[in-house]
């Protein structure tokens, strides 16, 4: 199978970079083809702006979605966005490797969503969620945090990890991906604060790499996270009156 | 009082831009001083990277938090980050005006968090949350969405709005802000897809501006969103055994 790794850390030698290496090795070892997209290395521009659109539908008013749709249909999106879309079309599984910064992905990866998942091309109307463009493909997040696991329990000091990843999980599901449970490597400081002790960094990296390496070969057999889907909603987009979770509203 | 508006939309004439205008007018009318930071206009660079740090602690390994701390302490952060910090120190209230893109803020605003809220300077150790640097100041989000309000109910087609704003609310609280309830303008398409009908855009803008204008003069009297705080957590960062919400874990 084809696996795309989207990597968003400014230091290739970081803990995150180490987790990328072990993913490439482990996936290739069981016969998968792996492509790495290192957003920092490729100097991906995360800012959605008028300058990216060379034949504007309206050059007096910049409406991002209108321009995305028109440029997709005419095949004139910027080369970097076209390349990202080609990679997604090629991949059977997409792994996002990044550190949790301010309760979300780094800006360079947030902008990958803003610019690459183009309106009209990758979603529109009812072509969303379980009817989405990438249905049949899988995606997952591999995340590192500075705080320890206990602090990410509900009401904990670092907040609930399920809540921090929910926006990205939902965005991936929005365009049709089956989203696998995340790989969270807690209590890592190598990407943020420099380790005083190099051997401690190596020791912790080996430990987390081992956990990740053990999981990687079986990813294609895992059960995705369940979401509500098109048939669960009424015309206004609310949960159907008859849905068993309706009592929660 | 001093109010800073941080604005993140690529089109100044957009719906979001209209909500900025009404905020400036309404706040000035009741005697507040308002400063606008238009991130697109100022060409803010949202990507946290090695190139922003001119006297690296370690130029063989880029650890963002270590460099943030060192450059803050020596007063050599980039001018754009220093200006943002000065604006925050000046403000009594910070309003963030932006469209919801992929279940979060646009990348240019995500990177504002990544780069401006510097480690060592604006938070460290126990100087976080209700003990945070900006305690006593207020912050709030003013957000526009394409989908209608019903679709943002729990389990709805557009997802739960409380969940989409929770990461940003938590980041602001992390550095000590009292976070006011958000102003959400639902069902707006002017920033994304171009309105076919200019008069429909104007009509909808006037309606949402009126709601916002009515709320703005009373913002300083509003009650902030409640959060758990330093005394609620044990040493590991988990909710105290004795906390009344502990039954939820």
């Amino acid at each position: 199978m084809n696996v795309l790794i989207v990597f968003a850390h400014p230091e290739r030698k970081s803990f995150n970079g180490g987790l990328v290496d072990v993913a490439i090795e482990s996936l290739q070892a069981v016969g998968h083809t792996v492509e790495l997209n290192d957003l920092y290395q490729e100097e991906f521009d995360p800012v959605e702006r008028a300058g990216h659109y060379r034949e504007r539908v309206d050059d007096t008013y910049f409406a991002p979605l209108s321009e995305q749709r028109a440029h997709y249909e005419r095949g004139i999106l910027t080369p970097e966005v076209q390349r990202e879309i080609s990679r997604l079309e090629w991949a059977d599984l997409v792994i996002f490797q990044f550190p949790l910064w301010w309760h979300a992905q780094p800006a360079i990866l947030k902008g990958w969503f803003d610019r690459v998942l183009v309106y009209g091309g990758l979603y529109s109307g009812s072509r969303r969620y379980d009817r989405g463009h990438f249905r049949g493909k899988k995606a997952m997040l591999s995340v590192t945090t500075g705080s320890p696991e206990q602090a990410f329990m509900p009401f904990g000091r670092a907040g609930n990890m399920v809540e921090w990843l929910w926006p990205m999980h939902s965005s991936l599901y929005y365009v049709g991906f089956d989203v696998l449970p995340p790989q969270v490597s807690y209590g890592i400081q190598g990407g943020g604060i420099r380790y005083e002790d190099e051997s401690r960094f190596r020791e912790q990296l080996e430990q987390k790499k081992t956990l990740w390496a053990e999981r990687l070969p079986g990813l294609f057999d895992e059960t995705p996270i369940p979401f509500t889907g098109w048939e669960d909603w009424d015309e206004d987009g609310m949960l159907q009156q008859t849905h068993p979770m309706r009592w929660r509203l």
Side-chain angles (χ1 to χ4, degrees), chain A residues 10 12 32 34 68 143 191 201 215:
Chain A
R12 186 65 182 84
H32 300 309
V34 184
Q68 287 184 0
V143 188
F201 174 82
R215 181 179 171 190

Side-chain angles (χ1 to χ4, degrees), chain A residues 9-11 14-16 99 101 144 188-195 201:
Chain A
H9 193 289
E11 175 57 65
S14 63
F15 219 101
N16 276 264
W101 284 0
T144 62
I188 307 304
Q189 304 197 305
I193 302 167
R194 195 161 155 250
Y195 274 70
F201 174 82

Side-chain angles (χ1 to χ4, degrees), chain A residues 16-224:
Chain A
N16 276 264
L19 295 176
V20 165
D21 293 336
V22 77
I24 294 172
E25 287 163 28
S26 304
L27 291 164
Q28 286 179 341
V30 292
H32 300 309
T33 306
V34 184
E35 179 163 350
L36 173 62
N37 171 11
D38 181 336
L39 293 174
Y40 272 93
Q41 172 69 28
E42 298 196 5
E43 297 184 3
F44 183 80
D45 176 2
V47 180
E48 176 65 334
R49 65 176 124 226
H52 294 308
Y53 298 93
R54 58 194 170 107
E55 292 183 30
R56 298 264 297 279
V57 173
D58 182 348
D59 55 18
T60 64
Y61 183 96
F62 178 55
L65 301 189
S66 296
E67 300 297 346
Q68 287 184 0
R69 180 173 52 190
H71 283 67
Y72 179 88
E73 286 169 358
R74 286 183 265 156
I76 53 170
L77 289 165
T78 62
E80 69 177 347
V81 168
Q82 290 194 15
R83 186 181 58 235
E84 289 308 298
I85 293 174
S86 299
R87 283 167 161 163
L88 292 172
E89 302 288 6
W90 168 84
D92 299 299
L93 165 65
V94 185
I95 297 173
F96 296 85
Q97 178 66 55
F98 61 95
L100 194 72
W101 284 0
W102 293 106
H103 309 106
Q105 69 273 53
I108 201 169
L109 181 53
K110 176 55 177 54
W112 181 95
F113 284 82
D114 296 346
R115 292 191 57 211
V116 174
L117 302 183
V118 301
Y119 176 67
L122 305 188
Y123 69 98
S124 65
S126 65
R127 201 162 48 93
R128 291 185 284 162
Y129 304 108
D130 49 337
R131 299 180 176 184
H133 184 81
F134 293 121
R135 64 192 178 282
K137 295 175 184 284
K138 298 170 193 294
M140 71 167 292
L141 311 180
S142 175
V143 188
T144 62
T145 74
S147 293
E149 182 162 9
Q150 303 93 301
F152 285 98
M153 296 287 287
F155 304 103
R157 195 170 59 213
N160 183 342
M161 179 56 73
V162 173
E163 295 175 351
W164 305 146
L165 302 184
W166 190 237
M168 285 186 78
H169 282 158
S170 299
S171 295
L172 292 166
Y173 172 55
Y174 190 96
V175 289
F177 284 105
D178 282 332
V179 182
L180 301 180
Q183 181 76 12
V184 187
S185 302
Y186 291 99
I188 307 304
Q189 304 197 305
I193 302 167
R194 195 161 155 250
Y195 274 70
E196 297 298 321
D197 180 357
E198 174 74 14
S199 67
R200 172 75 187 123
F201 174 82
R202 290 286 142 210
E203 180 192 327
Q204 204 179 10
L205 181 58
E206 287 310 314
Q207 182 191 44
K208 302 292 187 185
K209 278 170 78 167
T210 302
L211 287 170
W212 189 207
E214 282 167 2
R215 181 179 171 190
L216 281 154
L219 282 180
F220 281 97
D221 301 320
E222 291 191 7
T223 304

